[in-house]
Amino acid sequence: MASSSSIHARLALVALLSATTFYCIHKYRRLKRLKTLSLNPSTRRGKIFFISETGTSKSLAQRLHKLLESNGIAFDLVDPTSYEPEDLPKETLAIFVASTWDGGKPPKDGEFLVDWLSESAEDFRVGSLLLSGCRFGVFGVGSRGYGEEYNAVAKEMSRRMVGLGGAEMVPLGEGDVDDGELDRAFQEWCDGVIRVLKGGSARETNEITQNGVVESEDEYVDTTDEEEEDDNNDIVDLEDIAGKAPSRKNGVVKVTKRGDGKKEMVTPVIRASLTKQGYKIIGSHSGVKICRWTKSQLRGRGGCYKHSFYGIESHRCMETTPSLACANKCVFCWRHHTNPVGKSWQWKMDDPKEIVNGALDLHTKMIKQMKGVPGVTPEKLQEGLTPRHCALSLVGEPIMYPEINALVDELHGKRISTFLVTNAQFPEKILMMKPITQVRGVDFLYVSVDAATKESLKAIDRPLFADFWERFIDSLKALQEKQQRTVYRLTLVKGWNTEELEAYFNLFSIGKPDFIEIKGVTYCGSSATSKLTMENVPWHADVKAFSEALSVKSNGEYEVACEHAHSCCVLLGRTDKFKVDGKWFTWIDYEKFHDLVASGEPFTSRDYMAETPSWAVYGAEEGGFDPEQLRYKKERHHHPKPQAVVA
């Protein structure tokens, strides 16, 4: 019996010793492997992942990659679409540069990776040590204009990586594409990354930059960069400014702040980008630019659709804005999002009189440059030097400017008519606009109706406001309170909103506009900010068919009044107000309008309407082209497609 107990005791001891031995061997091998990895970091190269929609994060990641190489640190640049997330536990160093896209979600190229992190962190079977061998850093790229969604993807990734055992080697970095300081924020974060990788602290005071040159003064930011960007790119996307900031070769960018802490809306980077596109910047938040139709009518080659619809002389029209900022990031933005964004006025504010005088001065200087251009007569040039119309629609959201009423007063005081375009996100501002019966007010109030459903409006306009749809509807309702001419402006984008006929018609009864302009989207070339192609541009026949269908839907309340085939644009008008004895009166008697304004007596939009000329009426042979102008058609020299060779 004693012998049996002795055998059992010996077996138990052997089992314990065996288990201990195996455990010690396992720990020894693990420690040896970790020691080998720490002593030889090149065993597995670090990875830089970019999660990008418009190219911003990719540009920044490429910049970091070159910076690491210049400091002798080997990393691979990785597109997440070609990476298997299951390999992430094998990584020892991982850096993520991540953008946040629509609704606080990741761009499509990073969806799978981000979803894998989230699912792994929530899966109890995975455990909290999955990424315990990985040191990581995350830099987020976004816009504070989107509120709580600002850099949501980067914050989520950082949290999930930590939850899975990853060690955050540098604090989460964040960059705002709209404040003009994205470059500086990213550079400072990169400096911290390099210090850590070289064995230092992320918060050391010594700087590491390209070329070894540092400007540490608070007033200036060094933007010297080894990488020479493509100087032939005519458009600099605001979300891509990270890698394309002007004068970065040997320059410094001054960050301008006022004593009260308010920044100027137009930062040096944004100013340089807009100036490159032909804009003249007025003060700190306004701009003016000469329109191609202004040049065209100066040369006697025809005016824009507003000439055909309302009698506005294009060569005497000044296109400007008192606010370069906007609350949307529309997919068809003509300016490729090179303007700031915001949900409220948060910048230094210039005086309305200074803005108007500055706009007129810069506009007339641009008109003078047309002297001597073929077709420009002395008479037309002189007329062009005295603008009679102002389109407050250049870029951004003019109605955001707090002194918009005073600015309109200044223009009308100079007998310059105005029409203002708003993106239907500030209903309270529309209600605050002076009606024309209160001495002065805009004589045209446009509301952009870019989509007819909540889903498509979010997809097309990409608004900053979470309650964008409610604001949109309230803006339409606000139009009913106005006595000046009111207009819905519809931009048709094939494949996006051209199937929403019924929904568009339902919006008519909300704002009851005087006119509805329906225009095909203008293709502005390839851009990282937009997925639109020529396939999304409707033909004029498509726009006409859409307009006629809406007219039929209205049961005679609206009819197709005018067209401008060259602009692929059609006008619907209220028959009860602007069709008299079978004739359309969409034009304006501008001299009469200004006389009425000067009189101080109440009046309505009917008091200054004028008959539409026959050539501008829908269905006319001229297609909205003024017969007094000379039609000029460019010669197209397209290269013939290569023919297949038959053997």
Side-chain angles (χ1 to χ4, degrees):
M1 198 71 172
S3 176
S4 177
S5 298
S6 176
I7 292 173
H8 284 300
R10 290 176 181 177
L11 289 174
L13 180 60
V14 170
L16 179 61
L17 289 172
S18 299
T20 304
T21 302
F22 280 119
Y23 176 75
C24 290
I25 292 172
H26 170 72
K27 289 293 290 182
Y28 170 75
R29 288 178 175 174
R30 176 173 172 79
L31 289 171
K32 184 178 180 181
R33 183 171 63 86
L34 291 175
K35 186 177 181 180
T36 302
L37 287 173
S38 63
L39 292 174
N40 185 19
S42 62
T43 301
R44 188 173 181 89
R45 291 162 63 98
K47 301 289 193 299
I48 303 174
F49 298 88
F50 56 84
I51 297 175
S52 182
E53 178 71 25
T54 66
T56 309
S57 294
K58 183 177 181 180
S59 174
L60 291 173
Q62 290 171 337
R63 182 170 146 194
L64 174 58
H65 186 239
K66 290 190 175 184
L67 183 57
L68 290 170
E69 281 187 339
S70 67
N71 281 274
I73 304 172
F75 264 76
D76 292 328
L77 190 63
V78 180
D79 183 339
T81 58
S82 59
Y83 183 79
E84 174 52 62
E86 295 289 347
D87 291 335
L88 199 56
K90 302 175 184 177
E91 307 296 349
T92 56
L93 288 171
I95 296 175
F96 303 90
V97 183
S99 296
T100 298
W101 196 237
D102 185 40
K105 303 296 183 184
K108 286 187 177 180
D109 66 356
E111 280 182 348
F112 188 59
L113 176 59
V114 175
D115 287 347
W116 181 88
L117 276 174
S118 299
E119 291 168 4
S120 298
E122 297 294 334
D123 191 340
F124 71 93
R125 297 168 298 178
V126 173
S128 60
L129 298 176
L130 180 68
L131 303 180
S132 58
C134 180
R135 290 191 299 164
F136 74 94
V138 182
F139 187 87
V141 182
S143 169
R144 281 193 175 88
Y146 286 97
E148 294 180 357
E149 295 176 0
Y150 175 56
N151 282 330
V153 171
K155 293 172 184 175
E156 174 75 1
M157 292 188 74
S158 177
R159 187 169 68 87
R160 297 301 192 186
M161 289 290 290
V162 170
L164 289 168
E168 195 169 45
M169 59 181 172
V170 289
L172 172 70
E174 294 187 79
D176 184 355
V177 296
D178 300 321
D179 67 1
E181 298 185 28
L182 175 60
D183 267 346
R184 179 169 68 169
F186 186 67
Q187 183 62 54
E188 290 176 352
W189 185 81
C190 289
D191 291 343
V193 170
I194 293 174
R195 282 194 295 268
V196 169
L197 293 175
K198 286 190 170 184
S201 166
R203 299 187 182 278
E204 284 180 12
T205 56
N206 61 301
E207 301 283 354
I208 301 174
T209 64
Q210 291 118 333
N211 300 332
V213 180
V214 180
E215 285 283 346
S216 59
E217 295 294 329
D218 290 338
E219 188 180 4
Y220 290 90
V221 182
D222 188 300
T223 55
T224 306
D225 194 342
E226 286 181 3
E227 181 178 0
E228 181 173 342
E229 299 296 340
D230 182 4
D231 291 329
N232 296 322
N233 187 1
D234 292 334
I235 301 297
V236 180
D237 174 15
L238 180 62
E239 295 190 5
D240 287 344
I241 280 176
K244 299 179 181 177
S247 303
R248 292 189 54 198
K249 295 176 186 175
N250 294 300
V252 292
V253 174
K254 187 174 182 178
V255 180
T256 307
K257 289 187 180 180
R258 301 207 311 159
D260 57 8
K262 290 187 177 180
K263 298 179 183 179
E264 292 189 356
M265 179 187 292
V266 182
T267 65
V269 171
I270 295 173
R271 181 183 295 271
S273 176
L274 290 173
T275 300
K276 189 175 182 181
Q277 297 176 53
Y279 294 90
K280 306 297 181 184
I281 307 302
I282 309 161
S284 65
H285 55 73
S286 307
V288 64
K289 185 180 182 183
I290 189 169
C291 173
R292 77 177 184 92
W293 287 109
T294 299
K295 298 177 183 178
S296 177
Q297 197 156 20
L298 276 171
R299 302 180 70 183
R301 294 182 174 183
C304 77
Y305 70 90
K306 290 185 285 291
H307 175 57
S308 302
F309 294 176
Y310 314 117
I312 292 174
E313 298 174 291
S314 300
H315 70 296
R316 307 188 76 181
C317 182
M318 176 176 70
E319 194 172 17
T320 188
T321 181
S323 171
L324 290 161
C326 188
N328 289 343
K329 290 192 172 186
C330 304
V331 296
F332 52 74
C333 178
W334 289 15
R335 325 305 169 190
H336 294 268
H337 307 153
T338 44
N339 54 306
V341 294
K343 294 191 288 189
S344 62
W345 192 270
Q346 52 192 296
W347 305 277
K348 168 189 172 183
M349 188 175 70
D350 299 332
D351 181 75
K353 188 172 184 177
E354 292 177 1
I355 294 173
V356 170
N357 290 337
L360 288 169
D361 179 58
L362 291 170
H363 177 78
T364 52
K365 285 180 179 177
M366 289 186 282
I367 293 294
K368 287 178 182 178
Q369 293 174 2
M370 293 295 292
K371 184 179 180 180
V373 173
V376 178
T377 64
E379 294 76 21
K380 286 293 182 184
L381 186 67
Q382 191 58 43
E383 288 178 351
L385 291 173
T386 53
R388 281 290 167 259
H389 318 284
C390 180
L392 294 167
S393 63
L394 177 65
V395 64
E397 178 60 84
I399 210 168
M400 281 181 71
Y401 176 53
E403 293 295 328
I404 186 65
N405 277 315
L407 183 132
V408 170
D409 285 351
E410 286 291 333
L411 289 165
H412 284 174
K414 300 177 184 294
R415 295 182 73 86
I416 297 176
S417 65
T418 56
F419 61 95
L420 182 149
V421 180
T422 174
N423 290 316
Q425 289 297 293
F426 295 94
E428 72 284 359
K429 298 287 187 181
I430 295 176
L431 291 171
M432 285 172 58
M433 290 297 301
K434 288 182 182 178
I436 53 176
T437 51
Q438 292 182 7
V439 186
R440 296 190 180 110
V442 291
D443 32 321
F444 263 102
L445 185 56
Y446 278 68
V447 170
S448 293
V449 182
D450 299 327
T453 66
K454 184 176 182 178
E455 294 72 23
S456 57
L457 187 69
K458 183 177 182 180
I460 292 174
D461 279 3
R462 294 167 54 202
L464 300 186
F465 287 106
D467 59 341
F468 66 92
W469 182 250
E470 291 75 16
R471 288 175 168 273
F472 173 73
I473 295 299
D474 287 344
S475 294
L476 300 187
K477 291 178 181 177
L479 285 190
Q480 289 198 54
E481 306 293 326
K482 307 281 104 180
Q483 296 185 44
Q484 56 264 69
R485 288 189 173 198
T486 56
V487 185
Y488 278 7
R489 185 167 71 174
L490 280 57
T491 300
L492 297 186
V493 187
K494 212 169 185 177
W496 289 67
N497 60 8
T498 50
E499 305 300 321
E500 299 176 352
L501 187 72
E502 185 73 30
Y504 269 117
F505 172 69
N506 292 335
L507 297 178
F508 287 9
S509 61
I510 298 176
K512 297 187 181 300
D514 292 327
F515 300 102
I516 300 164
E517 291 180 3
I518 305 172
K519 188 177 187 299
V521 68
T522 300
Y523 179 62
C524 302
S526 59
S527 165
T529 62
S530 175
K531 303 299 182 185
L532 299 186
T533 68
M534 281 300 295
E535 295 296 320
N536 300 114
V537 180
W539 295 96
H540 186 53
D542 299 326
V543 175
K544 289 170 65 174
F546 190 89
S547 305
E548 291 170 1
L550 279 177
S551 174
V552 171
K553 272 277 185 190
S554 74
N555 292 319
E557 184 180 4
Y558 292 90
E559 289 182 5
V560 187
C562 306
E563 69 175 315
H564 190 251
H566 192 128
S567 298
C568 196
C569 191
V570 170
L571 181 72
L572 298 183
R574 285 271 296 269
T575 55
D576 61 335
K577 293 178 69 173
F578 299 100
K579 194 172 186 181
V580 182
D581 297 328
K583 295 182 179 180
W584 283 105
F585 285 75
T586 65
W587 276 38
I588 290 177
D589 184 334
Y590 291 98
E591 292 304 316
K592 188 175 182 180
F593 168 78
H594 289 297
D595 290 340
L596 289 168
V597 168
S599 72
E601 297 295 324
F603 62 96
T604 69
S605 59
R606 295 189 186 190
D607 295 324
Y608 54 87
M609 66 184 189
E611 185 177 348
T612 309
S614 60
W615 55 264
V617 174
Y618 186 70
E621 184 181 353
E622 294 87 349
F625 187 85
D626 188 344
E628 293 185 5
Q629 302 284 303
L630 179 65
R631 189 70 178 268
Y632 177 80
K633 294 184 178 181
K634 292 182 179 179
E635 292 185 20
R636 305 290 183 182
H637 299 286
H638 296 297
H639 295 291
K641 293 182 179 180
Q643 301 295 320
V645 178
V646 180

